[in-house]
Amino acid sequence: RQRRGGGVGPLAMGSVDESVSNRSQRAQRQSSEVRAKRDGDGAVVTSPADVSPGDSEYAAAVAQTAIALSVTGLFVVGLALVEGIEKAIEFCTAYLVEESLSVDNLFVFLLIFDYFQVPLANQGRVLSYGIFGSIVLRGLFIGLGAIALENFKPVLLIFAGVLFFSSGKLLTEWIGDEEEEDEDLSDNAIVKFAGGLFDSTDQYDAEDPSKFFTLEDGVRKATPLLLCLVVVELTDIVFAVDSVPAVFGVTEDPLLVFTSNMFAILGLRSLYTVLAKAAADLKYLEPAVAIILGFVGVKLGAEYFGMAVSNEASLGVIVTMLSGGIGLSLATKDADEDDEGASE
């Protein structure tokens, strides 16, 4: 869902090179390989995939996930009581679209954290700061989108075109499934741009790895943690290119568009540790997301030409695609494990 580009500058902010544009496939291959880079008792865990269900970090993540889902559920109930069941269905549909895109984006965050070797204990801090940036950026994009839709209806066709392109690109990459040589993210346009913003070092602060700046030879320099945060924020701008049109394809109510985005982003923060362990197993999530994007694109085009697709039908399609993609992924995983066991 990201354009490819080579240079660094305004154009590069809407594009990333091969190593990130094929994010889901490559991250799925690598997520199980992301491990601590230090040996001995002082090992630093850098991947949520290394956290076992018995660890306190995992238990806290499960608790946060339960709270986030509960708050979302309460919002849906309140919305239904105040605005009616139709608005509640619109929100649920928009929320599922945004959450599915957010989960797909999780694969990129795993790659970014791996590249910058961010300790697991500090990844939550980066994501938390990233949430604040996302709220501002998504709010800006949503406001501009709402104004554009109100004053220039053909923008629906532009949104539909963006979604068709993204859908086709994801499906093409997934069907091709070429095992390409992993590229160094140091060649990535966004990473280069972030590195050029600050005088930085490749070392974390020795006393407190959670610091964004450290002293090196008496000079104050940015740590990899700050560069990682900047890359996450810039990457979120790229993600918004298809995220915002997708949610406008479900509802044109700015309140529902904004709240569904915010709940999905908050959900990703709480689900991060839980879902990261399953990231490598969800190989059919990407085509499911691609089909959803294509469906929403069709819905936008149909709406422009006066043919409405009901919210109930939209919700049914999205739930079917997501549950089917996840279910098929888990089923094939079990089958693969049975085949491996039989061959041993």
Side-chain angles (χ1 to χ4, degrees):
R1 292 205 308 277
Q2 299 174 340
R3 279 81 173 151
R4 300 179 184 181
V8 176
L11 180 61
M13 292 307 95
S15 62
V16 259
D17 63 12
E18 186 73 20
S19 59
V20 176
S21 70
N22 289 328
R23 60 189 179 279
S24 292
Q25 291 176 10
R26 182 162 303 150
Q28 287 172 2
R29 294 196 302 269
Q30 292 183 357
S31 60
S32 60
E33 301 171 1
V34 180
R35 294 293 182 266
K37 302 301 181 183
R38 300 179 191 172
D39 296 324
D41 297 333
V44 176
V45 178
T46 60
S47 170
D50 293 326
V51 179
S52 67
D55 291 341
S56 59
E57 291 91 347
Y58 191 84
V62 171
Q64 291 173 1
T65 300
I67 293 173
L69 293 177
S70 297
V71 171
T72 304
L74 289 174
F75 180 82
V76 172
V77 172
L79 188 64
L81 293 175
V82 175
E83 297 290 340
I85 191 66
E86 193 68 21
K87 287 292 185 181
I89 292 176
E90 279 188 39
F91 171 84
C92 289
T93 307
Y95 171 77
L96 285 176
V97 169
E98 290 303 306
E99 195 67 86
S100 63
L101 292 174
S102 295
V103 171
D104 194 36
N105 297 341
L106 167 67
F107 300 129
V108 176
F109 294 145
L110 289 172
L111 281 179
I112 294 173
F113 287 141
D114 180 36
Y115 174 74
F116 287 103
Q117 284 301 287
V118 180
L120 181 60
N122 296 325
Q123 291 177 16
R125 188 181 187 206
V126 173
L127 290 175
S128 295
Y129 275 99
I131 286 174
F132 293 114
S134 294
I135 290 175
V136 174
L137 292 172
R138 296 297 174 94
L140 175 63
F141 285 139
I142 289 168
L144 294 175
I147 294 172
L149 283 174
E150 184 176 350
N151 295 280
F152 186 63
K153 204 66 174 177
V155 77
L156 288 173
L157 296 180
I158 298 176
F159 284 173
V162 170
L163 296 179
F164 285 142
F165 174 83
S166 298
S167 176
K169 191 168 185 292
L170 281 175
L171 284 175
T172 300
E173 291 172 355
W174 182 78
I175 292 173
D177 194 21
E178 297 178 357
E179 292 292 330
E180 302 167 354
E181 181 181 352
D182 292 334
E183 296 182 56
D184 190 347
L185 276 181
S186 60
D187 295 328
N188 179 266
I190 289 181
V191 173
K192 285 182 177 179
F193 180 82
L197 294 176
F198 309 97
D199 185 13
S200 61
T201 174
D202 59 358
Q203 301 295 320
Y204 286 87
D205 186 85
E207 296 181 358
D208 185 1
S210 66
K211 287 184 176 180
F212 289 122
F213 292 92
T214 187
L215 289 177
E216 187 175 89
D217 298 328
V219 179
R220 189 168 183 260
K221 294 185 177 182
T223 68
L225 192 67
L226 180 62
L227 298 185
C228 179
L229 174 60
V230 174
V231 171
V232 167
E233 293 287 8
L234 294 177
T235 303
D236 186 67
I237 296 177
V238 181
F239 290 160
V241 171
D242 56 9
S243 174
V244 173
V247 73
F248 270 115
V250 174
T251 176
E252 294 182 18
D253 186 329
L255 175 63
L256 297 185
V257 172
F258 182 76
T259 53
S260 63
N261 262 268
M262 294 308 101
F263 277 108
I265 292 171
L266 292 172
L268 174 64
R269 169 64 183 89
S270 60
L271 285 167
Y272 175 69
T273 301
V274 178
L275 288 178
K277 295 180 68 64
D281 299 327
L282 299 178
K283 63 180 180 180
Y284 290 106
L285 176 62
E286 186 171 22
V289 170
I291 294 173
I292 289 173
L293 290 177
F295 167 75
V296 176
V298 170
K299 185 176 183 295
L300 280 170
E303 181 179 340
Y304 177 77
F305 291 106
M307 297 176 287
V309 179
S310 71
N311 293 320
E312 292 81 1
S314 299
L315 182 60
V317 170
I318 292 168
V319 169
T320 300
M321 289 298 100
L322 285 179
S323 59
I326 295 173
L328 188 58
S329 297
L330 297 178
T332 54
K333 172 181 175 292
D334 291 340
D336 292 341
E337 289 178 348
D338 291 341
D339 289 342
E340 291 177 1
S343 62
E344 291 179 355

